[in-house]
Every structure is written in C-alpha cells, then in structure tokens.
Amino acid sequence: MTLEDILAELRLHREGARHAETGMWVASVLRERIAAGQLAPGSKLSEEALGEALGVSRNTLREAFSALAAEHVVTRIPNRGVYVARPSADDIREIYRVRRYLEPAALLWSPATDFTTLRAAVERARAARDSGSAAGMADANQAFHAAIVALGGSDRLDLLMTQVLAEMRLVFHSMVADTAFHAPYVEDNVRIVELLEAGERAEAAALLTGYLGRAQDQLLAAIAEESSVRRS
C-alpha cells in the first residue's frame, strides 16, 4: 500500500474528524495505520498531506505527533520533519520488558473464560504458515497478543497494548518476509490456548514469558546483524 493509498483511506475519516477534532483522535488513526503495517519505519509524515486528508488543522496534527513521539512511534527531526520511528536495540529491550509484565499477568489474573478470539487468531496463524505467508503470520500474531491483554477487560490496558503493538510492528518490519522467524511461535500460541482452556493459567503464563524472552533475543541479534551490514 502506497502513501497515496493511505491518504485516500484517511480522507474517509474527515466526517469523523469534524465531530472529534482532537490530537488524541488523530493519534489513534495514525497509530492504527502503523500497527497495521501500512506505514514503514522511516516514512515521512507530511503535515500538509495528512492535515488535508484528515480535515484537521496543523495544530491538531502537531498535538497528535507529540503524543506519538512520547510513545516512541514517531521521531521528530529538527528542520526535517516527522518520521515513523526505527526502534533501536534499547527500544526492543524496553518493549519486551513491558510485555513480560503485561501479557503473562493477563493470562494469570483475567476473569475471562471465553478464549474464542485467541483460538481464531491461532487458526489464522496456522493457515498463514501453511500458505507460506509471513505477513499473515505477523498479523495473526498481533491479533493474538492483543486478545491476550483484552482478556483483562480493561480499556486502559487495551490502549497500552495498542501502543506496544504499534511499536512492535515497526520492530517486525524488517522481518516481515521471514517465515522462519514467525513459524515456531504459531504452535507456542496454540499451546497457550490449550493450557488456558485446561485451566492451567500458570503454565500458560510461564510458556509466554519464556518465548517473549526468546523473541527479544532473536530480534536483538537481527538488529545487530543489520547494523554490521550497514557499517561494512
């Protein structure tokens, strides 16, 4: 999807913008696009083009950029503009620190007993894996982890997870075509659902904690390799 395509979609939000012309609303729209993988790391966000597409003022747009910059989703470069962020190794460590607090706790302490959404996400991931679609596995994995936090029934935690997943999409961007990275986690997620359905929440949380650590190490190794290639 090109930037022009995204801007065309965003123009459909104009009517909503007239009723909710706030930086928070604009930030949520842009965050959703980033979380969906439609805006790649390093993409420049034009104030003029986005303001026209969304039907909002530059002040409103700048308010949204400030919120997204605080979430490390965009980066402001003086005299150059606003860009979709490229997460660093330190960013990855911080993201996974938050996830290890948030997601296992949701498995342990949520009151939910209906795991239909989780089951649907792992079935989507299996279908994507079997068809060789790394992007499909990544999308299904995002949905799975969002659904884990949603088990807690908290709008505040859901918002935090939306922010985390937007950053995660940027982390995964360079690995979106790598089926070998995503495929092993599909069956881990299946096993988590099976443990939840069997009432074994502590075991599910332990499995998730372990694999979040494994994923972090893989991503840090990938970033180190990319940095080495750029320097050579």
Side-chain angles (χ1 to χ4, degrees):
M1 178 176 284
T2 67
L3 182 58
E4 289 72 19
D5 293 331
I6 295 168
L7 290 172
E9 282 192 5
L10 292 179
R11 289 187 184 97
L12 299 176
H13 289 272
R14 280 181 172 179
E15 197 60 38
R18 293 191 184 101
H19 297 291
E21 192 171 347
T22 66
M24 185 179 297
W25 178 82
V26 174
S28 71
V29 171
L30 295 176
R31 191 186 300 113
E32 287 168 6
R33 291 297 185 274
I34 293 169
Q38 295 176 356
L39 292 168
S43 299
K44 185 172 183 178
L45 301 178
S46 165
E47 284 189 8
E48 183 177 356
L50 286 170
E52 188 277 331
L54 290 169
V56 298
S57 69
R58 285 197 170 190
N59 285 341
T60 295
L61 198 58
R62 288 168 183 170
E63 182 184 341
F65 287 157
S66 293
L68 294 175
E71 298 169 13
H72 309 287
V73 174
V74 304
T75 301
R76 279 177 158 160
I77 302 178
N79 303 317
R80 289 182 57 190
V82 178
Y83 295 79
V84 179
R86 295 182 184 276
S88 66
D90 285 343
D91 291 327
I92 290 173
R93 293 186 186 96
E94 178 62 15
I95 291 166
Y96 274 89
R97 184 180 299 117
V98 171
R99 293 186 68 182
R100 283 193 294 270
Y101 282 121
L102 185 60
E103 296 183 56
L107 295 180
L108 279 170
W109 305 113
S110 77
T113 56
D114 181 356
F115 307 116
T116 304
T117 305
L118 290 173
R119 176 63 70 181
V122 297
E123 292 306 321
R124 280 175 50 205
R126 276 177 159 173
R129 178 196 60 196
D130 294 346
S131 67
S133 172
M137 282 188 282
D139 289 343
N141 186 62
Q142 294 273 93
F144 180 81
H145 290 283
I148 283 177
V149 175
L151 294 174
S154 166
D155 290 341
R156 289 178 175 83
L157 291 179
D158 288 343
L159 176 58
L160 174 58
M161 193 58 178
T162 298
Q163 296 168 2
V164 168
L165 290 178
E167 275 199 90
M168 282 304 307
R169 179 65 75 170
L170 300 178
V171 171
F172 281 135
H173 191 270
S174 62
M175 307 188 75
V176 72
D178 187 356
T179 56
F181 173 81
H182 296 286
Y185 296 101
V186 173
E187 291 306 312
D188 282 339
N189 289 345
V190 171
R191 182 58 181 155
I192 286 171
V193 177
E194 291 173 345
L195 289 169
L196 286 174
E197 291 175 337
E200 299 176 3
R201 289 176 176 262
E203 291 82 356
L207 174 56
L208 178 57
T209 300
Y211 102 41
L212 287 174
R214 189 168 77 248
Q216 173 187 285
D217 291 344
Q218 285 181 273
L219 290 167
L220 289 173
I223 280 191
E225 184 176 350
E226 285 180 4
S227 297
S228 177
V229 169
R230 284 197 298 269
R231 288 194 299 268
S232 63

